[in-house]
Amino acid sequence: MTIIYSLLSACFHPIRDIALKGKEPRYDVYLLAVVGWVFIAAIQILATGASWTMSNYVYLYAFISAIGNVMYYSGIGYALRRGDVSVYYPIFRTTPVFMALLEWMFWGKTYTFYFLAGMVLIIIGALIVHNGWRIIQRKALAGADKVSLLFALYALVGSIIYIMADAKAMQGTVKPEASTYLFYNLLFCSILFIFFGFIANKDKRTYITSLTNTYKTNWRRITLATGCDYASYYLILVAESMKNSNIVLINTLRLWDIPLSVILARVVLKEKNTLSRFLATAIILVGSILLIYNK
């Protein structure tokens, strides 16, 4: 079931990305989507009769995860604002590698050959889908903006923080309801997003008004993205809460959102896809089979 939930989570991400494609400002659009998550989580708690409270240590993990989320998305936004996606995108997609390394260093986690081979194939395939067979062009990397590179690394650290915090919260001795954890996690996220957005905004007197106008202009797309993103996040938390779940496996399988985005972009956005992208999808498929075989 862990594998099924992980792959289902990956299915929702491309829909989110297509819904928000080309919408500016990216930070504000994502902020509004996160605020929408809080209301969905509250409705789910009321509908299912879940508890509104959690263990004290889980609140701490939820807050740490919120900090990581803000780091991740703000880092991506600033990195891509100043530089090319093809240069910095590979950095964002190496999260499972660093997570595996951390688990090996600090928690004594061991991995089989099939697991490592599958993880590497999926990451390589994801990078090829996005960047072509050269993955990272040396000339592009040599001319990369140093500030953007720092923001990309900042986003990478943020992703590791929120993934690890979520996993520790859901794998604790007293596991919270996924909807309850999401409610407080996303409430913290919303507060942090609004705070930092307010600080960064030049005209602070009109900040709330600008957010309102952004929502009015894009409410259909934001609503669709909010629902898909919440479903994806919820499925991941459920997967992580299951017995003997493996967060590296879960987050490596989530990279299936890349080939799915290629297919949906072709169908919905009429984008032209090269043969290399579909061949890379085959590499991801082989990697996934190795991971599932290892499991």
Side-chain angles (χ1 to χ4, degrees):
M1 290 302 295
T2 300
I3 294 171
I4 294 174
Y5 285 138
S6 301
L7 293 176
L8 283 175
S9 173
C11 292
F12 285 103
H13 264 271
I15 302 174
R16 186 275 312 265
D17 293 335
I18 289 176
L20 296 182
K21 181 177 175 62
K23 292 300 168 183
E24 299 290 352
R26 295 184 186 276
Y27 185 92
D28 290 349
V29 169
Y30 188 77
L31 183 157
L32 291 167
V34 171
V35 172
W37 288 0
V38 179
F39 290 101
I40 294 177
I43 292 172
Q44 186 176 7
I45 293 172
L46 291 172
T48 60
S51 174
W52 286 92
T53 61
M54 305 184 297
S55 299
N56 290 335
Y57 77 93
V58 180
Y59 288 107
L60 177 59
Y61 280 129
F63 183 70
I64 294 173
S65 174
I67 293 174
N69 265 301
V70 174
M71 289 174 62
Y72 177 64
Y73 285 102
S74 60
I76 286 178
Y78 283 109
L80 299 186
R81 181 183 299 178
R82 298 172 60 96
D84 294 335
V85 174
S86 61
V87 178
Y88 305 108
Y89 181 87
I91 297 174
F92 306 147
R93 283 300 180 183
T94 57
T95 304
V97 175
F98 287 95
M99 288 169 56
L101 182 61
L102 287 173
E103 286 211 319
W104 172 71
M105 292 175 61
F106 297 105
W107 289 281
K109 183 74 174 181
T110 58
Y111 299 96
T112 66
F113 169 80
Y114 291 108
F115 187 95
L116 293 174
M119 184 177 69
V120 170
L121 284 176
I122 290 177
I123 292 174
I124 290 176
L127 298 181
I128 292 174
V129 167
H130 196 275
N131 297 9
W133 290 101
R134 285 184 286 184
I135 302 181
I136 302 179
Q137 298 181 17
R138 293 184 178 181
K139 292 182 179 179
L141 188 59
D145 181 82
K146 292 182 179 179
V147 175
S148 293
L149 185 60
L150 289 175
F151 273 118
L153 294 173
Y154 174 78
L156 173 63
V157 172
S159 68
I160 294 173
I161 289 174
Y162 83 76
I163 290 173
M164 296 295 287
D166 291 343
K168 296 302 179 184
M170 301 308 295
Q171 294 173 355
T173 53
V174 182
K175 298 179 181 179
E177 291 284 345
S179 56
T180 307
Y181 179 80
L182 277 174
F183 175 79
Y184 290 104
N185 182 353
L186 300 172
L187 180 62
F188 293 146
C189 276
S190 300
I191 294 172
L192 291 173
F193 266 113
I194 292 172
F195 174 75
F196 289 117
F198 177 79
I199 295 299
N201 193 275
K202 295 180 179 179
D203 191 355
K204 293 177 173 50
R205 292 175 298 177
T206 61
Y207 180 60
I208 300 300
T209 302
S210 67
L211 286 178
T212 303
N213 291 334
T214 298
Y215 182 78
K216 288 181 179 179
T217 306
N218 306 291
W219 70 269
R220 291 183 179 85
R221 292 175 178 268
I222 292 175
T223 301
L224 176 60
T226 298
C228 291
D229 230 354
Y230 182 86
S232 178
Y233 206 162
Y234 180 82
L235 288 168
I236 284 297
L237 290 180
V238 172
E240 290 176 344
S241 68
M242 300 182 74
K243 187 178 180 180
N244 298 324
S245 62
N246 187 317
I247 61 171
V248 176
L249 168 67
I250 291 170
N251 286 278
T252 303
L253 288 176
R254 286 186 72 189
L255 294 180
W256 255 103
D257 64 347
I258 304 300
L260 289 174
S261 67
V262 172
I263 296 172
L264 287 177
R266 178 68 175 266
V267 175
V268 179
L269 301 177
K270 308 302 180 183
E271 291 184 358
K272 295 181 179 180
N273 300 301
T274 62
L275 178 61
S276 64
R277 293 184 178 181
F278 291 104
L279 292 176
T281 300
I283 295 176
I284 294 176
L285 176 61
V286 173
S288 300
I289 292 173
L290 288 175
L291 286 181
I292 295 170
Y293 173 78
N294 173 79
K295 185 66 175 178

